[in-house]
Amino acid sequence: MKLAIEEAKKAEAIGEVPIGAVLVHEGEAQAFGFNLRETEQRSVAHAEMLAIDEACRKLGTWRLENTTLYVTLEPCPMCSGAIILSRIKRVVYGAADPKGGCAGTLMNLLQDSRFNHQTEITAGVLEEECGQMLSQFFRTLREKKKQARRLQ
């Protein structure tokens, strides 16, 4: 999770929402991703999606069966779908997402028995650190917007 936090800091450094992901295969970090949605103006440029895509290319397969995905924020519906379709064995996440979390908060797509693959979930790893990073980012963003309105 520490590596995922480092990825999230890369996003924050360029003004992106600080979310990071690392995909581990056989105990070795294989792929990394951080949020690039604003930078690239692509709705699919989530940390998890970028790490999954990199892992598929690097490992030469779309079946990421014996992998663990570490991510600083609970996966959204899109990322949860990609996790299921990629056959990722386990997801470890930091902060819960009350507005979009699909690994147990709003719903649990990752363990829905109607799909042909279910994923193990470990929630709340370094939750406070991950959550504080996001809270501080949005607090700062709101303050900047408030100051910009005052200058108008």
Side-chain angles (χ1 to χ4, degrees):
M1 186 60 76
K2 292 279 190 190
L3 291 174
I5 290 170
E6 291 306 312
E7 290 296 303
K9 288 177 182 176
K10 292 176 186 176
E12 184 175 37
I14 60 170
E16 290 279 358
V17 177
I19 302 168
V22 176
L23 194 127
V24 175
H25 178 251
E26 296 178 354
E28 194 172 315
Q30 296 289 331
F32 304 84
F34 57 88
N35 198 32
L36 287 172
R37 193 168 58 170
E38 294 299 327
T39 301
E40 296 185 358
Q41 289 297 299
R42 293 187 316 122
S43 58
V44 298
H46 287 203
E48 302 95 309
M49 299 292 284
L50 298 172
I52 289 168
D53 192 45
E54 181 184 334
C56 289
R57 282 195 311 273
K58 189 171 183 180
L59 297 172
T61 182
W62 62 268
R63 290 181 184 90
L64 303 175
E65 292 169 325
N66 292 311
T67 61
T68 299
L69 180 67
Y70 293 85
V71 61
T72 56
L73 183 67
E74 179 181 5
C76 73
M78 173 180 67
C79 294
S80 294
I83 289 163
I84 292 165
L85 293 173
S86 300
R87 311 292 195 266
I88 292 172
K89 181 178 181 177
R90 180 175 174 229
V91 169
V92 178
Y93 72 85
D97 184 355
K99 294 182 178 180
C102 287
T105 299
L106 294 180
M107 63 187 69
N108 189 346
L109 291 177
L110 297 181
Q111 295 181 326
D112 190 316
S113 62
R114 294 173 293 180
F115 292 117
N116 66 341
H117 177 78
Q118 289 77 45
T119 301
E120 298 169 27
I121 300 170
T122 303
V125 174
L126 298 178
E127 180 176 18
E128 191 171 322
E129 189 173 346
C130 293
Q132 283 180 351
M133 192 172 16
L134 286 159
S135 295
Q136 183 59 47
F137 175 82
F138 286 112
R139 193 175 303 118
T140 301
L141 187 64
R142 284 190 300 274
E143 188 57 38
K144 284 180 182 175
K145 286 181 180 180
K146 196 184 294 183
Q147 287 176 357
R149 282 194 298 265
R150 281 188 226 145
L151 295 173
Q152 291 178 346

